[in-house]
Amino acid sequence: MVKSQHAEAHKSINDALSLILDIQELDMQMIQLMRLKRERKREMENITAIKSDLSHQIKAKEGEVLELKTLIKIGEEELKEIQEKLKELENKQSSVKKVDEFNALSHEMSQVDKQRAAKEQNLSDLMDKLSQEEELLKNIKESLVSTVESSKVLESEIMTRIQEINKEGSLIKVKRDELVAEASPEVFSIYERLLQNKKDRVVVPIENRTCSGCHIQLTAQDENLVRKAERMIFCEHCSRILYWPQADDQDQAGAQGRGRRRRSRQTA
Ligand SMILES: [Zn+2]
């Protein structure tokens, strides 16, 4: 009686884990898919960042150009005032009679003329600067246009890939939902909690008396418990659920993928 109960338990734990292993493979595919999706999204963000950086550069450069134009306008008005003042002094000088007044005006005129020369130099520098900045602005604008153009193809490729990933993901989810509906709720909830923590396989075979999840050596007693499969056995080092590979897998233990194929063929 006790023996048959054990046999029953043996069967049910292995069956429960067998279903969970199928779910686990789908989850591994899903994790890989989500990783790919994140990479694609990052590529998209990079393109957006490059474009937005160029747009910011354009705005900043337009600001500088506008400021230079304002400075030039003010400078030109100041120059005009200086020129008018110079003309005024010339007129005044032509009408003075006394030598000392004439000399004083000459001195003043030479001062104003120096101001005029300095202002003209200043304006010429500003004009040079303006044409440099306008050239830079033109280059950045061209660069933005070509970036927008060249990234169109890449962006549409990325979008297509993301859509494919989403489609693939929903197919996996459908299959997974079907399996979850059949799974033992108790085993499944333990599995899912472990998966959330590890984002990796959490139901793993014992191989050469070693947990194939964390590769730490187990005791003979642990091994026996797993082999008996009377209840779920967890690796005490990494908390993964351990299972005993099928009889015909044992001589080839180590190749988990191969073991899995054999196991599925058997259950199919
Ligand atoms: Zn372990």
Side-chain angles (χ1 to χ4, degrees):
M1 194 58 201
V2 170
K3 204 173 181 186
S4 78
Q5 265 176 1
H6 273 178
E8 193 50 43
H10 190 125
K11 187 177 177 288
S12 69
I13 277 296
N14 280 347
D15 284 354
L17 287 182
S18 167
L19 240 172
I20 296 291
L21 280 170
D22 291 338
I23 294 173
Q24 175 168 264
E25 287 318 301
L26 294 177
D27 285 338
M28 293 305 109
Q29 286 174 29
M30 194 62 121
I31 286 173
Q32 178 61 18
L33 264 187
M34 291 306 107
R35 195 173 296 140
L36 288 175
K37 187 168 167 176
R38 277 198 300 278
E39 279 171 21
R40 296 292 93 82
K41 280 190 169 168
R42 221 168 296 142
E43 285 170 10
M44 200 63 129
E45 282 162 12
N46 284 344
I47 296 173
T48 310
I50 291 169
K51 286 195 279 194
S52 118
D53 180 48
L54 286 171
S55 298
H56 282 132
Q57 284 185 41
I58 288 172
K59 263 205 189 108
K61 204 45 91 186
E62 281 173 343
E64 286 172 42
V65 165
L66 190 67
E67 200 183 315
L68 279 169
K69 282 182 176 167
T70 309
L71 285 176
I72 288 170
K73 204 169 175 189
I74 293 170
E76 282 170 342
E77 274 162 21
E78 286 171 347
L79 181 62
K80 211 166 133 196
E81 278 171 29
I82 292 169
Q83 284 165 336
E84 276 164 9
K85 190 173 181 190
L86 210 53
K87 200 168 251 172
E88 212 176 282
L89 288 170
E90 270 171 8
N91 289 340
K92 210 167 168 187
Q93 199 184 41
S94 65
S95 63
V96 296
K97 308 234 158 51
K98 289 179 183 164
V99 176
D100 55 347
E101 268 181 53
F102 185 91
N103 286 345
L105 279 169
S106 287
H107 180 73
E108 198 181 340
M109 280 162 69
S110 93
Q111 294 299 317
V112 175
D113 200 49
K114 273 183 196 158
Q115 281 177 26
R116 182 193 55 82
K119 186 51 73 184
E120 275 176 354
Q121 184 58 53
N122 176 250
L123 268 173
S124 156
D125 292 346
L126 286 173
M127 302 276 205
D128 287 348
K129 181 101 177 104
L130 177 63
S131 74
Q132 275 173 24
E133 296 298 316
E134 279 177 332
E135 185 63 26
L136 282 172
L137 177 60
K138 191 173 140 250
N139 290 344
I140 305 170
K141 280 183 172 169
E142 281 170 4
S143 171
L144 178 62
V145 169
S146 77
T147 303
V148 167
E149 199 49 48
S150 67
S151 60
K152 263 184 197 158
V153 177
L154 190 56
E155 278 173 314
S156 103
E157 276 171 11
I158 295 172
M159 286 313 289
T160 308
R161 187 68 193 111
I162 288 178
Q163 280 163 5
E164 284 167 3
I165 289 173
N166 288 341
K167 210 186 269 176
E168 228 174 306
S170 16
L171 288 176
I172 292 175
K173 197 184 173 299
V174 169
K175 279 193 226 163
R176 186 187 193 265
D177 286 347
E178 285 170 9
L179 294 175
V180 170
E182 292 174 40
S184 140
E186 192 203 344
V187 179
F188 177 70
S189 86
I190 293 170
Y191 159 76
E192 217 176 26
R193 207 165 51 233
L194 285 170
L195 180 73
Q196 290 307 316
N197 284 335
K198 303 227 182 278
K199 313 275 183 220
D200 187 16
R201 287 187 173 81
V202 292
V203 183
V204 297
I206 283 197
E207 285 163 2
N208 304 319
R209 199 178 287 171
T210 302
C211 162
S212 63
C214 66
H215 306 289
I216 287 175
Q217 190 82 33
L218 304 166
T219 65
Q221 197 185 357
D222 292 334
E223 195 179 49
N224 272 330
L225 286 172
V226 173
R227 188 166 14 202
K228 278 185 195 157
E230 288 168 356
R231 54 185 170 86
M232 261 195 278
I233 307 295
F234 300 90
C235 168
E236 58 180 292
H237 306 287
C238 70
S239 310
R240 285 180 173 85
I241 303 166
L242 296 165
Y243 71 89
W244 184 253
Q246 297 284 306
D248 59 340
D249 290 342
Q250 281 180 43
D251 28 83
Q252 288 154 9
Q256 198 187 343
R258 203 162 50 197
R260 283 282 301 138
R261 269 204 305 279
R262 282 169 170 276
R263 203 192 55 82
S264 340
R265 201 187 54 207
Q266 251 189 7
T267 47

